[in-house]
Amino acid sequence: MSMTRRQFGIAATALLATTGAVDLASAGTARAVTAAATLPVTIPALQQWTAGSGAYSFGAGTRIVIDSSFAGQLTGEAAVFAADLQTATGITVPQVTAPAGSAGAGDIVLTLGSGDTGLGSEGYTLTIAPVLTVQARAAAGVFYGTRTVLQLLRQASTIPGGTARDMPTHAERGLMVDVGRKYFSVTWLQNQIKDMAYAKMNYLHLHFSDNLGFRLESATHPEIVSAQHYTKQQITDLINLAASYHVTIVPEIDMPGHMDTILAAHPELKLVAQDGTTPDGSNIDLSNPASYTLMKDLITEFMPLFPAPYWHLGADEYGVTYSNYPQLQAYAQQQYGSNATPKDVYYGFVRWADAIVRGGGKTMRMWNDGIRAGDGTIPVAAGITVDYWYNYGLSPQQLMDAGHPVNNGSWTPTYYVLGGATPDTTYMYEQWNPGIFQGNVTVTHPEQVLGSKIHVWCDNPGAQTEAQVAGGIFAPLRVLGQKTWGSPDPVTTYAAYQPIIAATGHMPGWPVDVAAGDLALNKPTTASSTETSNFPAANATDGSYGTRWSSLYTDPQWLQVDLGAPCSITAAKLSWETAYAKAYQLQVSDDATTWTTLYSTTSGAGGVENLTGLTGAGRYVRMNGTQRATSWGYSLWEFEVYGSPDLALGRPATASSVESGIASLGPSFAVDGNAATRWSSDYADPQWLQVDLGASRTVTAVKLVWERAYAKAYQIQVSDDASTWTTIYATTNGPGSTEYLTALRGTGRYVRMYGTQRATQWGYSLWELEVYGS
């Protein structure tokens, strides 16, 4: 289910990361220091920021102004930006082509023409003033500037003035997905592309084949294609979408190892040992000419489908025991001379494939583990890009010295293995950078490393759902985005980085798993404890069944959400992880101090618990766990709350009188959502307080929060004209304090409390009058 529209300016004030001095960085230049400033909260952090005066405000009158000097180059970027703004705000932002100087307050200008060569092709400058301007040397830079604007507007509709200069230090910032072992839906991939781009990541590596599947429609070899696969039209559409978000899709068809699915349809090409067995069943026989025919068919069929400048061969883990296969030794000597070693069959294959890829106008890529020293006579051609994932064979520095561009794909900390290892985000944020490879190996010039990727490997495809994978990689992708952009870290610790991740969130329109109307969705959430920083409280209200909050292993523990305003609570849904609550209460509060229990159990069943028929109201809702069902803590994938907001909140209110004419006791203070302000009447009967809901509404509940001067006898009444009233509740024995009146039935634009008998010598005094319904 898709997320309901989220308005900009959800926070009263934008979250700010304060630094004593902003440490500035750009590729190939020394770091510099500017004056102290408040750094706007973005992921990745800005390279350079200078605070200024004034501010920019987004509103219904905002336009996207495409500088007419560069209209032909920026139309696509403007269209994507406008669509994202509409998704996020519900406001249709017009796109106009005009001279940049014609823009007015509230407009956003997109322009090229920067003479700043240090920005490269992906950098940009951002000027935040009454007119907001994004300028770059190329369209990609303008696009990334719009991602920064989206993140800032997500936090507040008004952005403090200043100027930014921002550019990446690493060219490749990405994600690899093993769709060969686990089929991921096209929609899932589309959302990942948009979400990557939102964090300024630009590289999507799709591993299309492995032991559990071959996922591309094939005209030359339909016999190898898995039932769940991508058609060529789906791939073309995906590539076009990615291009509009400046993401390059790089394909990998893994060979000569990991070919189980292909070889299942061609058993005659399996590598057979001298005893007649196939102990290395994923490997193709590189001594068989027919093997090369099949592999060339696949490379040449699919290479034109992908416009990316790269073709990924895989070439990993062809881990044969060569002594078991004398035909490989014989083939090597036949092809490469009497001094050739059995491993030369592998190196010769790499050279053969590289020639095909170069002939197609592309650069070949491969994993590093097969490239070793002293085990063959055929060198791997310089210029082949190497994705370094583990410390086998040549070191990263040796590979770079041999002329290979290197991407840091080290297992630690970039591997996300279903049913296995996951990235250590604390280490990644606090200690790691793309110049640190597996085993803490470094290189002489880390700035020359291409970049890095998060790698989703689906060794156990059933271990997680699509939603759980998306949730699991959300934070690691943000940390990797920060590290590969190369800007100074905005805070010191990963724990302190978590609020920045929450503040910037997902891209506009990110789908959520929860039903429409979840009052807790993306609301501020706190907890008594967290197991680790990987399981923060906010995970339980982010709309994803793939992320979770987890507590320490003790009783009691609680999870609390601030709905932002009083709400009537009619239902809740708790989606428990394995560590669930045997005994807990669902509670509400107006002040997060005094709690009222709406539901209680001592025999919780875990799983998904739908609690319906609840009766209560409050601004805060919490799950208060008192007994764990396991030896672990309490863990919720999602905590959902349903009901309706206070219809009276902030609406015009009038009253029969105000105590002694004191302005601070006026009627508006009973509908302001502040439990510390109140309306108070004169000391006489009768008296009334009335609120205008703005339109006729069906009233089902009313909450009265009395001060000590309460009503013994009163009615709750509704009206369409504030003249003729219908009573929907009456009492002559009011108890004071907090009264929550439910099961009411009435319709009207106006609602009033009509007091006929005071309980004290004073007047009538209400901290809050809340009205609920539809």
Side-chain angles (χ1 to χ4, degrees):
M1 185 172 295
S2 294
M3 181 187 292
T4 55
R5 226 165 44 201
R6 177 168 186 147
Q7 298 297 318
F8 280 3
I10 56 169
T13 342
L15 178 69
L16 294 175
T18 303
T19 59
V22 182
D23 203 13
L24 310 179
S26 60
T29 64
R31 292 181 181 258
V33 178
T34 65
T38 53
L39 184 68
V41 171
T42 63
I43 292 180
L46 300 174
Q47 291 280 12
Q48 300 178 12
W49 170 252
T50 302
S53 60
Y56 168 80
S57 293
F58 175 89
T62 293
R63 303 178 304 164
I64 297 173
V65 178
I66 308 166
D67 187 344
S68 53
S69 299
F70 307 101
Q73 297 158 269
L74 296 178
T75 301
E77 284 65 36
V80 170
F81 186 35
D84 288 336
L85 285 171
Q86 183 173 26
T87 298
T89 69
I91 297 173
T92 300
V93 180
Q95 306 163 60
V96 299
T97 300
S102 67
D107 287 343
I108 301 173
V109 176
L110 307 183
T111 184
L112 295 174
S114 173
D116 185 349
T117 57
L119 293 177
S121 63
E122 294 183 304
Y124 64 94
T125 58
L126 181 67
T127 303
I128 301 174
V131 174
L132 190 152
T133 302
V134 180
Q135 185 175 34
R137 294 177 57 81
V142 170
F143 176 78
Y144 290 130
T146 65
R147 302 305 93 180
T148 294
V149 174
L150 287 171
Q151 291 185 19
L152 295 176
L153 288 177
R154 186 184 191 274
Q155 300 164 60
S157 58
T158 296
I159 309 172
T163 57
R165 182 174 179 269
D166 200 23
M167 73 295 290
T169 59
H170 295 281
E172 294 179 358
R173 310 173 300 277
L175 169 67
M176 189 224 77
V177 184
D178 174 10
V179 297
R181 291 188 178 102
K182 181 181 180 70
Y183 176 83
F184 288 82
S185 68
V186 172
T187 299
W188 190 91
L189 292 172
Q190 291 169 337
N191 288 327
Q192 287 301 325
I193 287 169
K194 295 177 182 179
D195 203 44
M196 288 169 56
Y198 183 64
K200 302 185 180 70
M201 304 180 83
N202 63 357
Y203 186 100
L204 178 60
H205 171 181
L206 295 178
H207 180 85
F208 282 110
S209 66
D210 214 298
N211 62 310
L212 299 179
F214 186 95
R215 304 295 181 186
L216 283 171
E217 173 191 9
S218 174
T220 60
H221 290 282
E223 74 279 0
I224 69 174
V225 180
S226 299
Q228 281 190 307
H229 64 273
Y230 306 102
T231 67
K232 290 183 178 179
Q233 187 59 55
Q234 286 175 321
I235 292 298
T236 297
D237 292 344
L238 196 68
I239 288 169
N240 291 337
L241 173 74
S244 70
Y245 281 83
H246 290 271
V247 171
T248 298
I249 295 180
V250 175
E252 177 189 353
I253 296 178
D254 206 352
M255 51 182 72
H258 291 277
M259 295 185 68
D260 310 60
T261 303
I262 297 170
L263 294 176
H266 289 278
E268 74 280 5
L269 300 181
K270 288 184 177 181
L271 184 61
V272 180
Q274 59 186 341
D275 64 0
T277 63
T278 55
D280 303 303
S282 67
N283 298 318
I284 199 167
D285 186 355
L286 291 178
S287 70
N288 187 338
S291 296
Y292 294 88
T293 301
L294 171 64
M295 291 187 287
K296 183 176 182 180
D297 286 347
L298 296 177
I299 296 172
T300 55
E301 177 181 1
F302 291 113
M303 197 161 49
L305 181 62
F306 295 88
Y310 296 109
W311 175 267
H312 206 300
L313 187 68
D316 62 313
E317 297 181 315
Y318 190 71
V320 300
T321 305
Y322 285 96
S323 60
N324 290 336
Y325 307 99
Q327 70 269 37
L328 296 181
Q329 173 72 59
Y331 183 82
Q333 291 179 334
Q334 175 190 349
Q335 295 294 317
Y336 310 120
S338 58
N339 292 329
T341 70
K343 182 66 178 289
D344 281 322
V345 174
Y346 170 83
Y347 291 129
F349 159 75
V350 171
R351 183 169 68 180
W352 168 85
D354 183 49
I356 296 173
V357 172
R358 288 176 190 263
K362 299 183 185 293
T363 297
M364 197 171 81
R365 301 181 77 114
M366 61 184 291
W367 301 104
N368 76 287
D369 58 270
I371 307 175
R372 302 177 182 247
D375 60 349
T377 63
I378 301 173
V380 176
I384 294 176
T385 297
V386 176
D387 287 359
Y388 190 97
W389 71 278
Y390 211 79
N391 48 346
Y392 297 129
L394 299 185
S395 71
Q397 187 62 57
Q398 289 172 321
L399 289 167
M400 294 173 73
D401 291 343
H404 299 292
V406 173
N407 180 290
N408 187 344
S410 297
W411 178 299
T412 304
T414 74
Y415 269 36
Y416 186 96
V417 182
L418 271 62
T422 57
D424 183 343
T425 45
T426 299
Y427 164 73
M428 191 192 305
Y429 184 82
E430 296 178 4
Q431 301 178 49
W432 182 82
N433 64 64
I436 301 175
F437 291 79
Q438 187 69 27
N440 289 318
V441 174
T442 59
V443 294
T444 304
H445 295 287
E447 71 279 2
Q448 295 178 2
V449 175
L450 291 175
S452 187
K453 310 184 292 288
I454 294 295
H455 298 78
V456 177
W457 289 109
C458 302
D459 299 51
N460 300 288
Q464 291 188 357
T465 64
E466 280 189 350
Q468 289 171 333
V469 174
I473 65 176
F474 170 61
L477 275 173
R478 266 67 188 164
V479 176
L480 189 94
Q482 169 63 34
K483 294 299 180 176
T484 52
W485 192 259
S487 56
D489 292 339
V491 290
T492 304
T493 66
Y494 177 62
Y497 196 61
Q498 288 277 7
I500 295 176
I501 293 175
T504 53
H506 281 289
M507 58 87 172
W510 179 261
V512 296
D513 302 321
V514 300
D518 176 15
L519 300 173
L521 180 62
N522 290 321
K523 293 298 195 308
T525 307
T526 53
S528 52
S529 67
T530 55
E531 180 182 3
T532 73
S533 59
N534 291 324
F535 305 110
N539 281 1
T541 54
D542 65 355
S544 170
Y545 295 147
T547 59
R548 62 186 173 95
W549 160 70
S550 187
S551 78
L552 296 178
Y553 308 161
T554 59
D555 294 315
Q557 300 287 344
W558 51 261
L559 179 80
Q560 171 183 310
V561 58
D562 177 0
L563 303 181
C567 293
S568 170
I569 310 303
T570 58
K573 180 179 177 182
L574 293 86
S575 298
W576 294 101
E577 197 249 356
T578 307
Y580 67 96
K582 182 178 181 181
Y584 69 94
Q585 298 95 43
L586 189 74
Q587 301 175 315
V588 294
S589 174
D590 291 319
D591 57 8
T593 299
T594 303
W595 295 91
T596 300
T597 297
L598 306 186
Y599 173 83
S600 180
T601 183
T602 57
S603 56
V608 177
E609 295 188 77
N610 285 291
L611 311 180
T612 59
L614 304 179
T615 300
R619 172 173 171 169
Y620 302 89
V621 183
R622 77 172 178 180
M623 183 288 300
N624 186 41
T626 56
Q627 184 181 355
R628 291 165 294 141
T630 71
S631 59
W632 310 102
Y634 298 81
S635 187
L636 280 165
W637 291 110
E638 203 66 15
F639 180 40
E640 302 166 46
V641 179
Y642 296 92
S644 60
D646 176 12
L647 301 176
L649 183 64
R651 299 300 306 169
T654 54
S656 53
S657 66
V658 175
E659 180 183 351
S660 304
I662 301 172
S664 61
L665 297 177
S668 64
F669 292 105
V671 291
D672 64 355
N674 186 345
T677 60
R678 62 188 174 96
W679 161 70
S680 186
S681 77
D682 287 341
Y683 307 162
D685 293 318
Q687 300 287 344
W688 51 263
L689 175 73
Q690 170 183 312
V691 61
D692 178 1
L693 303 182
S696 183
R697 308 297 290 265
T698 298
V699 177
T700 58
V702 168
K703 183 177 178 181
L704 302 162
V705 184
W706 294 102
E707 197 248 357
R708 287 176 295 173
Y710 67 96
K712 182 176 182 182
Y714 68 92
Q715 295 97 49
I716 299 298
Q717 301 175 319
V718 295
S719 174
D720 288 321
D721 57 8
S723 178
T724 301
W725 296 90
T726 300
T727 298
I728 59 174
Y729 176 84
T731 184
T732 57
N733 193 30
S737 189
T738 298
E739 296 184 70
Y740 186 58
L741 313 177
T742 60
L744 305 182
R745 290 293 180 268
T747 302
R749 171 173 173 169
Y750 302 89
V751 179
R752 76 174 179 179
M753 183 290 299
Y754 185 72
T756 57
Q757 184 182 357
R758 291 167 291 143
T760 71
Q761 68 191 59
W762 312 104
Y764 298 82
S765 186
L766 280 166
W767 294 109
E768 286 296 309
L769 167 65
E770 301 169 17
V771 179
Y772 300 99
S774 59

